[in-house]
């Protein structure tokens, strides 16, 4: 069952049911503002209301980047800096690196024994990625990608997994493996549910979905001048050529970004764009000013942190998670009657 993420519901007596949230990202480079509004703002809220585990999935990165691993360490730091910049609070969650938790790898081996290859071959991302990148990426480890993802989740017994649409098939597979395990060896593992972000896709500079691979993105780490320059280069309604031409805000990516950072001004911007009174140059200039205002504290936070602090946060995170992970792994081995 897919749910949209809701603020945590208060129980009858007013108490909150704390969910156990787990999510992760592969360390592939700096994040952009699409990640910020779509994902990280949710993570910030989960830290306040729930028990949260956020993982740098470096082993998952290896499934496709095994030939050149030189960027994984640097990208791990950059990724965590972006999380911290966005306001994810390491005191109120666990932030850690997948390969620092050997229990995940051990669980992966155990669960791989009960996972039929045919289930993995049916996962749409597996088929799609091979169609896109060719069969050279089809390693043994890559086939097991969703099993490893399940182990990330299952090792901390998370019940709720915020992810993008493309990841829901991995959770589906994960639940089937959990059911098979619990059926074979007795109820031990938790069936995780996916929750989708309630934010729409964020458009990039060219109007397509914001994505590093399209090079149409604004990074969280971009400075104010770069942001202003990028916003100035954005496409707008192609039929609005001169200032007084009426525009169509509903198809304009600049307007879509106003909705995200400049909500109070949205009705007036829509009206003056439609009437022609507002020109695209002024509209963009207001957007970059507002965006820089919103981003300034994040950039400051990012710049105030160094690699050593990130390292300390990640080792504290690993320590927290390993305590939980050891218990889960012990329960799994007991259930499997390993000697
Ligand atoms: N596969 C996820 C992605 O590419 C990243 C990921 C790894 C993940 N482990 C996870 C997400 C566990 C949720 C839970 O986006």
């Amino acid at each position: 069952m897919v749910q949209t993420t809701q603020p945590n519901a208060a129980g009858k007596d007013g108490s909150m049911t704390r969910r156990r949230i787990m999510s992760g990202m592969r360390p592939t480079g700096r994040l952009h503002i699409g990640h910020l509004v779509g994902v990280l703002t949710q993570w910030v809220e989960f830290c306040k209301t729930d028990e949260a585990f956020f993982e740098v999935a470096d082993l998952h990165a290896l499934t496709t980047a095994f030939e050149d691993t030189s960027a994984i360490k640097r990208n791990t730091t950059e990724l965590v800096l972006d999380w911290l910049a966005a306001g994810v609070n390491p005191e109120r969650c666990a932030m850690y690196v997948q390969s620092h938790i050997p229990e995940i790898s051990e669980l992966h081996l155990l669960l791989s024994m009960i996972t039929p290859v045919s289930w993995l071959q049916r996962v749409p991302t597996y088929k799609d990625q091979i169609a896109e990148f060719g069969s050279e990426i089809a390693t043994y480890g890559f086939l097991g990608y969703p099993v490893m993802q399940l182990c990330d989740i299952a090792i901390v017994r998370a019940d709720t997994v915020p992810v993008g649409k493309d990841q829901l098939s991995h959770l589906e597979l994960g639940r089937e493996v959990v059911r098979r395990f619990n059926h074979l060896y007795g109820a031990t593992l938790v069936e995780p549910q996916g929750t989708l972000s309630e934010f729409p896709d964020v458009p990039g500079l060219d109007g397509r979905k914001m994505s590093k691979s399209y090079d149409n993105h604004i990074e969280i780490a971009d400075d104010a001048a770069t942001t202003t320059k990028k916003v100035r280069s954005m496409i707008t309604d192609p039929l609005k050529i001169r200032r007084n031409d009426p525009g169509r805000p509903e198809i304009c990516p600049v307007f879509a970004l106003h909705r995200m950072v400049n909500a109070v001004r949205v009705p007036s911007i829509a009206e003056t764009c439609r009437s022609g009174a507002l020109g695209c140059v002024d509209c963009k200039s207001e957007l970059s000013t507002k965006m820089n205002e919103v981003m300034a504290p994040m950039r400051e936070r990012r710049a105030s942190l160094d690699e050593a602090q990130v390292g300390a946060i990640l080792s504290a995170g690993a320590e927290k998670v390993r305590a939980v992970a050891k218990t889960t792994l012990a329960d799994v081995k007991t259930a499997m009657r390993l000697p």
Side-chain angles (χ1 to χ4, degrees), residues 206 208-217:
D206 57 2
R208 291 184 293 173
K209 181 184 157 81
M210 188 175 285
S211 161
K212 195 167 61 161
S213 52
Y214 295 149
D215 194 20
N216 65 355
H217 60 301

Side-chain angles (χ1 to χ4, degrees), residues 151-173:
C151 293
D152 294 338
I153 300 162
I155 202 78
V156 296
R157 298 185 196 275
D159 45 58
T160 308
V161 185
V163 283
K165 285 194 281 294
D166 61 323
Q167 298 290 309
L168 291 174
S169 62
H170 296 178
L171 291 171
E172 194 70 47
L173 180 283

